[in-house]
Amino acid sequence: MSQTTEPTASAVAAGEPATFPPRRRKKTNRGPIWLRPRFLISGTIVALMLLMAAFPQLFAGFGSDPNANCNVMETNQAPSSEHIFGVDIQGCDYYTNVIYGARASILVGIVVTAISFVVAAILGALAGYFGGWVDVIISRACDMAFGLPFILAAIVVLQLFSERTVWTVIFALALFNWPGGVRFMRSSVMEVRNREYVQASMLLGASKTRIIKSHIIPNSLTPLLVLQTLGVGGVISAEAGLTFIGIGLTPPSVSWGLQLAAARDYISAAPHLLVFPALFLTLTVLGFVLFGEALRDEFDPKGK
Amino acid sequence: MLGYTIRRIGQMIPVVIGATFLIYALTFLMPGDPIAALTGARPLPESTVAQIRQAYHLDDPFLVQYGNYMWGLLHGNFGIDFFGRPVLGLILERLPTTFALALTAWVLKLVIGLAIGVYGGLRHGRAGDHFALVFTVVFLGVPGFVIALGAQTVFGVQLGWVNPAGISAGWPMAFILPALVMAFEAAAGLARLTRTSLVGVLRSEYMRTARAKGLSPRRVIWGHALRNAMIPVVTYLGLSLAGMLGGAVIIEAIFNIPGIGGLMVTSINNKEGTIVVGIATMLVLVYLFFNLLVDLLYGVIDPRVRV
């Protein structure tokens, strides 16, 4: 829906010169979005990371296992032609471990964001469309969840569990990640609801279901989706940070946060243990942030 | 203005109650027996256990415990931990360190973020602006604790410019590196907001009017554009100071700074629920206080809000 109406608006917002002092406006044909460098690069990173999370075997070799073929005698060996990322403390191939670490981060990022998206879409639409006491209850609940700083709240929840898997972390982060989305959805639904064409279709006797289905949802869901995409990077880095200080994932899981935490004790003896997971983590978060921004500039020119 | 202030405080009360209730309920659910954690290997006699449970009201129903806690809180009493130390004292002992860190980081962020944001906004669409954007993307995209680890390794361990951890060097030397890391991470958001806001203001009609009246570009920018562009920025700045207190937890753990973040992590490991609840409650109160302050300040800057 919005793709067909957006191009002119997004061209204005996506980096044209300011009109102060008023200047000529360059008219450029920027071509389809998937050919622009930022989208292309970040999209490739995101696609690669998703693939890595889903099928680590594609990258680490079939039949490989992060815990197989470990040789403690080779502990902390620097990168070599045999082990291109070196060897970790237990003497396992670090490249395989780093590749398998993608799954936890990506899973947490995507699932937490998806949950927030669904909750925000439903609660925000209810609050924005019906207003009144529904709005009051939902908005106050948002205020309460907002009253707790995100990282702090996640820590309070995570400490309840002594053994924390990916799903525990997802639960803790999802519990406090939704209020921003709900507020956004609420205001965007309110705005759409008051537009003339919606009022017109109300006057024409369209049912509530029809108005919500064919006007409200298409016009407010895309911006919300884009906003949530922007948040994936933040969730991934929150997970890694919490895991790093020992409050996130716990050992049998394989994750970049855990690898970084373990590498800390060997900073000067084996810097490669720190460099590779940090590099992958940074690349992933950066990829998702850039991807989200490219999408936002395309679909939601106002958010820029 | 007074009515507005009272209304804002009134709106805060349910939020305080809801947030503390949430924290208290979550900690109440914490598995494990705090008394078992207290004694170590040797089990206590039944009667002593009963005595302790009685003294700390552990056998009361949850709502009664919560009510007691809130009643104490109203009198400025955060309870005592299982070693008999008042929790408020423990927190207040650590709070100055965390405040020093958060405030240093906040000021650094203010300077870096505003400078980059204003520069990018004034040079919108030109090379300087693109440079500013690249800066913000890098600092938004690279996780803060990765920057922290990198900075600690390079400046603390390899170059030896500052102590890699601890606060024995005192303020400012011990705080400069962690504060800079926090500042850069947060400055990116601030720079973006400032830039966007400034670009929006520069495009507005009244800027054209001001130029048409014959004001010099300098007067227009300093007197009109920046002043109006700062309205959303002030809100963000106030909220972020409180947010930085929460964010300091991870940075404190990395740089081994004995602030409330460190206290929180040790209390979690020792199952000291009272301290965890105390810290979280304290931070929530501080956070809401800053929220209120920002809202009131907002009314001063932008008279349209005071209706």
Side-chain angles (χ1 to χ4, degrees):
Chain A
M1 185 99 192
S2 49
Q3 284 98 319
T4 53
T5 54
E6 228 62 299
T8 43
S10 69
V12 173
E16 295 285 30
T19 46
F20 177 77
R23 219 179 286 141
R24 75 204 149 73
R25 182 163 290 178
K26 246 194 312 188
K27 241 210 155 4
T28 44
N29 187 7
R30 297 162 50 92
I33 177 178
W34 55 85
L35 287 181
R36 288 177 213 152
R38 184 171 56 160
F39 187 84
L40 205 64
I41 296 169
S42 63
T44 312
I45 297 176
V46 168
L48 269 179
M49 290 301 169
L50 288 178
L51 205 63
M52 200 183 281
F55 308 105
Q57 298 89 344
L58 282 179
F59 298 84
F62 289 90
S64 70
D65 182 312
N67 299 317
N69 306 322
C70 300
N71 181 2
V72 178
M73 300 303 284
E74 296 181 348
T75 178
N76 285 355
Q77 218 172 57
S80 60
S81 59
E82 197 186 339
H83 301 288
I84 54 169
F85 282 7
V87 173
D88 73 3
I89 304 141
Q90 279 97 27
C92 306
D93 179 45
Y94 210 41
Y95 173 71
T96 318
N97 267 282
V98 172
I99 295 288
Y100 273 83
R103 182 171 285 176
S105 296
I106 305 279
L107 201 62
V108 170
I110 303 270
V111 176
V112 168
T113 311
I115 294 174
S116 314
F117 174 72
V118 173
V119 172
I122 295 172
L123 291 185
L126 287 177
Y129 190 80
F130 292 105
W133 61 269
V134 181
D135 182 26
V136 169
I137 291 178
I138 293 175
S139 295
R140 283 292 153 273
C142 271
D143 285 349
M144 279 172 207
F146 250 137
L148 297 162
F150 180 62
I151 291 286
L152 189 76
I155 292 176
V156 173
V157 177
L158 283 169
Q159 46 117 8
L160 301 174
F161 305 90
S162 49
E163 197 167 301
R164 296 173 290 262
T165 62
V166 171
W167 298 104
T168 328
V169 175
I170 287 175
F171 169 74
L173 291 179
L175 213 51
F176 295 97
N177 194 42
W178 51 270
V182 172
R183 281 193 179 172
F184 180 83
M185 183 71 180
R186 171 177 172 271
S187 62
S188 96
V189 166
M190 277 180 162
E191 196 211 318
V192 173
R193 193 187 126 91
N194 292 327
R195 280 192 202 150
E196 278 89 353
Y197 61 86
V198 179
Q199 306 276 331
S201 80
M202 274 180 193
L203 285 177
L204 285 171
S207 68
K208 269 185 187 156
T209 347
R210 191 189 153 84
I211 291 173
I212 294 181
K213 216 168 68 185
S214 55
H215 295 301
I216 309 274
I217 295 206
N219 281 299
S220 47
L221 219 52
T222 317
L224 179 69
L225 187 63
V226 171
L227 182 85
Q228 297 290 334
T229 317
L230 259 170
V232 177
V235 173
I236 292 178
S237 88
E239 180 272 319
L242 288 170
T243 302
F244 179 75
I245 61 167
I247 301 178
L249 294 169
T250 45
S253 315
V254 180
S255 97
W256 294 329
L258 283 171
Q259 287 160 3
L260 286 170
R264 251 195 115 184
D265 301 334
Y266 307 93
I267 284 186
S268 27
H272 66 273
L273 293 181
L274 197 71
V275 169
F276 292 110
L279 207 66
F280 271 65
L281 178 64
T282 304
L283 208 62
T284 309
V285 176
L286 206 57
F288 273 101
V289 168
L290 280 175
F291 187 69
E293 288 190 343
L295 282 183
R296 182 187 53 189
D297 292 352
E298 184 65 20
F299 296 118
D300 182 30
K302 267 180 293 175
K304 209 175 171 202
Chain B
M1 192 70 198
L2 186 69
Y4 177 67
T5 312
I6 293 172
R7 206 165 57 237
R8 286 292 302 140
I9 293 177
Q11 283 169 356
M12 266 173 62
I13 293 171
V15 178
V16 172
I17 295 176
T20 48
F21 185 80
L22 211 61
I23 299 168
Y24 201 83
L26 286 172
T27 319
F28 192 80
L29 293 171
M30 191 154 68
D33 189 351
I35 296 171
L38 184 67
T39 55
R42 218 166 2 152
L44 284 172
E46 277 301 308
S47 59
T48 320
V49 172
Q51 194 191 352
I52 297 176
R53 293 197 78 89
Q54 172 105 56
Y56 286 92
H57 304 287
L58 288 180
D59 293 323
D60 289 351
F62 167 66
L63 278 178
V64 175
Q65 287 195 36
Y66 175 69
N68 280 338
Y69 187 74
M70 284 309 280
W71 185 245
L73 210 60
L74 268 181
H75 298 86
N77 179 5
F78 277 70
I80 50 173
D81 75 351
F82 284 117
F83 297 106
R85 300 170 297 184
V87 173
L88 187 63
L90 285 174
I91 297 176
L92 289 183
E93 198 179 295
R94 305 288 198 104
L95 209 54
T97 313
T98 302
F99 261 122
L101 176 64
L103 213 61
T104 315
W106 188 76
V107 171
L108 286 172
K109 169 187 108 157
L110 189 80
V111 174
I112 301 169
L114 280 184
I116 294 174
V118 169
Y119 181 74
L122 292 178
R123 311 214 139 247
H124 180 56
R126 283 183 263 173
D129 184 29
H130 292 307
F131 169 76
L133 265 185
V134 169
F135 163 85
T136 58
V137 166
V138 168
F139 279 97
L140 277 181
V142 183
F145 81 97
V146 171
I147 300 180
L149 268 179
Q152 191 182 34
T153 313
V154 173
F155 298 110
V157 180
Q158 309 278 340
L159 296 174
W161 289 357
V162 287
N163 285 348
I167 55 161
S168 54
W171 197 90
M173 278 322 276
F175 288 90
I176 201 84
L177 198 57
L180 261 181
V181 170
M182 285 171 75
F184 267 109
E185 204 191 351
L190 175 64
R192 288 206 156 183
L193 184 68
T194 312
R195 174 183 169 276
T196 315
S197 169
L198 190 57
V199 169
V201 169
L202 287 176
R203 277 185 184 153
S204 61
E205 305 274 319
Y206 60 82
M207 290 313 295
R208 194 176 307 160
T209 313
R211 284 289 286 144
K213 276 199 309 186
L215 290 183
S216 67
R218 184 181 298 248
R219 278 282 300 276
V220 172
I221 284 167
W222 290 102
H224 294 266
L226 283 180
R227 213 179 136 176
N228 284 297
M230 283 307 119
I231 292 174
V233 175
V234 168
T235 322
Y236 176 80
L237 278 176
L239 296 183
S240 70
L241 178 55
M244 274 186 149
L245 287 174
V249 174
I250 289 181
I251 295 291
E252 280 179 8
I254 293 176
F255 286 96
N256 201 12
I257 291 170
I260 41 177
L263 181 64
M264 183 137 181
V265 174
T266 31
S267 318
I268 287 173
N269 293 335
N270 295 344
K271 307 244 173 280
E272 283 277 12
T274 346
I275 303 181
V276 178
V277 174
I279 295 173
T281 310
M282 181 66 111
L283 285 181
V284 167
L285 291 180
V286 171
Y287 188 76
L288 290 173
F289 173 74
F290 277 112
N291 261 352
L292 179 71
L293 212 63
V294 168
D295 273 348
L296 298 182
L297 202 63
Y298 203 73
V300 175
I301 300 177
D302 185 359
R304 280 171 303 181
V305 189
R306 284 185 306 229
V307 244

